[in-house]
Amino acid sequence: MNIVLWAVQILLAVLFTGAGGMKIAMSPESLIPLMPWVVDFSPGAVQAIGAVEVLGAAGLILPAATSIAPVLTPLAAAGLAVVMAGGTAVHFARSEYPAGLANVVVLAAAALVARGRLRPAPAGGSGARPGRPAHPDRG
């Protein structure tokens, strides 16, 4: 399951880095053909959504990869799932059903990562850590 979670995290990070980066770097006028919904939001709101997506993408990878505050990975995934829920609502309200359904798929993937990375270690394990036996006498 760890490999599946990493694959999904990487795919989501690439997706959100690209989509968020576009929202930050491109003008609203140039985004309209790619993302027609931007006409319903201020340029600052679109850039803020983009910043949240880019930061979320970093949160999917960096904490888990560096083992520095790894609890941030499921929180980033949950935050991105919330962003996708908002995006789904916007697309459905605008009758953009294919885009809304695509958001549902991304939401589900983010929820999978959030749940998978929050899972506690199984109870009653051997107590062994990687590279160390559970009991020194049984080395």
Side-chain angles (χ1 to χ4, degrees), residues 6-20:
W6 269 112
V8 174
Q9 283 172 243
I10 291 166
L11 290 172
L12 287 172
V14 168
L15 172 82
F16 282 111
T17 299

Side-chain angles (χ1 to χ4, degrees), residues 30-77:
S30 59
L31 281 174
I32 291 170
L34 303 169
M35 303 174 191
W37 59 267
V38 299
V39 299
D40 294 339
F41 293 86
S42 71
V46 173
Q47 288 182 330
I49 293 166
V52 167
E53 290 176 348
V54 170
L55 291 171
L60 289 173
I61 302 298
L62 295 177
T66 62
S67 296
I68 299 172
V71 71
L72 294 177
T73 295
L75 294 176

Side-chain angles (χ1 to χ4, degrees), residues 46-136:
V46 173
Q47 288 182 330
I49 293 166
V52 167
E53 290 176 348
V54 170
L55 291 171
L60 289 173
I61 302 298
L62 295 177
T66 62
S67 296
I68 299 172
V71 71
L72 294 177
T73 295
L75 294 176
L80 289 171
V82 170
V83 171
M84 288 294 95
T88 300
V90 168
H91 286 300
F92 284 161
R94 293 175 48 87
S95 299
E96 298 169 350
Y97 300 112
L101 291 175
N103 278 16
V104 169
V105 171
V106 176
L107 186 157
L112 172 76
V113 171
R115 176 64 182 105
R117 292 297 181 206
L118 268 180
R119 184 178 314 149
S126 68
R129 288 185 249 156
R132 300 181 85 187
H135 301 282

